[in-house]
Amino acid sequence: MNPLPSSLNLKALRRDLLSWYRASGRTLPWRQTQDPYAIWVSEIMLQQTQVKTVMPYYERWLQAFPTIADLAAADQQQVLKVWQGLGYYARARNLHRAAQAIVQEFKGEFPVNLSDVLSLPGIGRTTAGGILSAAFNQPLPILDGNVKRVLARLTALTLPPSKALNALWQLSTELLDSQNPHDFNQALMDLGATVCTPKNPSCPICPWQSHCQAFHLNQQTQIPMSENRSPLAHKQIGVAVIWNQERQILIDRRRQEGLLGGLWEFPGGKIEPGETVEDCIKREIREELGIEIAVGDRLMTLDHAYTHFRVTLNVHHCQYLSGEPQAIECDEVRWVTLAELDQFPFPAANVQIIEALKTGQP
Ligand code: SF4
């Protein structure tokens, strides 16, 4: 059964959205270009991340890697370093791999064919639609998180969006202005990002207010219906800042596969039931690096949320005692000075540890 109503006036919806966009659309750097590479970079950065956070990263990325060929030729560590702080690092690794695939398979030119674009790592249907409509004005729909919310409210969808994906794609396809897909998709993104926001949507200034079924039912804050996710798992982690006699610190590079793959970190691991933080750190360092340490004072405790779990990092200063550090459960280990830490890409939570080490303040 199609859960979406057929009573929408598509023509009026297009007209009202586009005239609002002409008056109130955002001026964004990636809208000033037709370069599919720059647009692709912005689309990937904007997944899971807000515009104001993306802006400086977008500029820096294009300075570091002005073309697809530059990105393809770069070292992965350099790529991760430029991405550092944006999170969801698989996006950076996929951009890098996709650039290499474009050089090998498409002579360095971003492909214009949808199936070719979908063959690239890290590009799904909505990202492909976003890039091809923005760069080449191709009539392809989008359905990112913002668009799902807007369309769910527009139609007063009685299911969580994840249970109605086919119907939402169909609506996004039918709504799309085939004469002006570039502006239409950009307008839809702007509506979700600036007006039909997750909390407190600005219905009084919304160009779709007269069409919006959630508004007429006064259900804007109940829709989209919740996905009924189970609460996030919470892991307690013991983390070691291991110092040697030369005042160097031991860091390790995570394995390529998995969360935060290829990034550097302070070593440590999950605290087992009944284990103290100190015992956990000693055990993890012995298992992961094959060395003995003495666990000293607590440096800091910090919480960090990932998509599917939360962690609390219990960070301690430690003193190296004996053994040769080995990369047993990682790709590489290194002794570095405090000043050298900035040369390596670290995940956000570890960057906070570095700041605390530099300032002496947690
Ligand atoms: S009227 Fe309100 S709920 Fe409906 S689309 Fe506009 S902002 Fe969203």
Side-chain angles (χ1 to χ4, degrees):
M1 188 182 85
N2 184 344
L4 300 176
S6 56
S7 55
L8 293 171
N9 183 338
L10 298 177
K11 215 167 150 188
L13 281 159
R14 283 180 205 127
R15 181 200 60 214
D16 293 347
L17 182 62
L18 284 170
S19 56
W20 169 80
Y21 177 67
R22 283 180 199 115
S24 309
R26 294 173 294 179
T27 304
L28 300 170
W30 42 90
R31 287 192 185 152
Q32 318 301 316
T33 177
Q34 296 295 115
D35 176 5
Y37 166 59
I39 292 166
W40 167 38
V41 170
S42 75
E43 283 280 338
I44 300 296
M45 287 185 170
L46 288 165
Q47 292 168 357
Q48 325 268 2
T49 311
Q50 295 198 334
V51 162
K52 68 174 184 311
T53 308
V54 163
M55 292 268 207
Y57 281 93
Y58 172 80
E59 304 291 350
R60 229 177 297 151
W61 183 278
L62 290 180
Q63 273 170 18
F65 316 115
T67 66
I68 291 174
D70 294 321
L71 176 58
D75 180 76
Q76 190 199 54
Q77 290 292 292
Q78 192 193 354
V79 171
L80 292 172
K81 186 69 196 165
V82 177
W83 192 272
Q84 179 176 300
L86 259 188
Y88 303 98
Y89 289 84
R91 295 182 295 172
R93 292 194 300 273
N94 282 335
L95 268 169
H96 190 214
R97 283 171 47 219
Q100 292 169 338
I102 292 172
V103 167
Q104 280 169 16
E105 293 165 35
F106 304 108
K107 300 191 173 117
E109 296 286 333
F110 194 90
V112 295
N113 180 299
L114 178 62
S115 60
D116 288 341
V117 176
L118 287 172
S119 74
L120 297 170
I123 301 189
R125 186 174 171 191
T126 192
T127 305
I131 299 167
L132 292 174
S133 62
F136 305 116
N137 209 25
Q138 290 189 25
L140 292 167
I142 55 170
L143 191 66
D144 65 7
N146 280 340
V147 176
K148 283 180 200 162
R149 180 176 62 256
V150 175
L151 299 187
R153 286 174 175 163
L154 177 69
T155 56
L157 183 67
T158 53
L159 296 169
S162 66
K163 301 266 185 332
L165 286 180
N166 287 344
L168 290 169
W169 270 112
Q170 188 186 332
L171 179 58
S172 187
T173 307
E174 287 174 10
L175 268 172
L176 182 66
D177 186 334
S178 58
Q179 301 304 307
N180 200 351
H182 173 285
D183 283 1
F184 184 86
N185 280 344
Q186 299 299 317
L188 199 49
M189 288 182 213
D190 276 11
L191 190 69
T194 65
V195 176
C196 194
T197 47
K199 288 183 191 151
N200 304 320
S202 305
C203 304
I205 58 161
C206 177
W208 277 0
Q209 190 199 92
S210 64
H211 309 276
C212 178
Q213 303 197 12
F215 177 77
H216 291 310
L217 297 167
N218 197 24
Q219 288 186 347
Q220 324 62 316
T221 51
Q222 284 101 61
I223 296 174
M225 288 181 68
S226 128
E227 303 283 350
N228 287 332
R229 289 208 179 106
S230 47
L232 292 184
H234 185 191
K235 300 180 190 175
Q236 289 283 345
I237 309 285
V239 177
V241 176
I242 305 170
W243 299 88
N244 66 12
Q245 295 214 319
E246 288 76 43
R247 298 298 290 162
Q248 291 171 310
I249 300 167
L250 192 61
I251 58 173
D252 71 82
R253 185 157 56 84
R254 293 175 68 99
R255 292 206 166 131
Q256 282 293 319
E257 57 277 6
L259 186 73
L260 310 174
L263 294 176
W264 291 80
E265 66 176 5
F266 298 98
K270 197 167 148 225
I271 300 174
E272 300 292 349
E275 201 175 35
T276 65
V277 176
E278 287 82 356
D279 287 347
C280 158
I281 290 176
K282 269 194 214 165
R283 175 184 55 73
E284 286 285 344
I285 298 309
R286 196 178 297 130
E287 289 171 4
E288 280 184 24
L289 306 172
I291 60 171
E292 296 298 325
I293 56 168
V295 179
D297 291 344
R298 186 183 71 90
L299 169 67
M300 67 195 302
T301 302
L302 60 99
D303 291 310
H304 194 75
Y306 295 97
T307 316
H308 299 299
F309 62 95
R310 287 189 301 130
V311 291
T312 298
L313 303 184
N314 302 274
V315 189
H316 279 248
H317 288 289
C318 301
Q319 191 60 45
Y320 166 74
L321 295 178
S322 63
E324 183 61 30
Q326 303 158 52
I328 299 170
E329 292 187 9
C330 55
D331 276 353
E332 192 180 345
V333 288
R334 271 196 209 190
W335 288 108
V336 295
T337 63
L338 190 49
E340 287 168 342
L341 285 172
D342 284 339
Q343 297 165 16
F344 299 87
F346 280 90
N350 278 231
V351 171
Q352 287 186 54
I353 300 173
I354 295 172
E355 290 307 313
L357 287 168
K358 280 190 193 159
T359 58
Q361 306 275 329

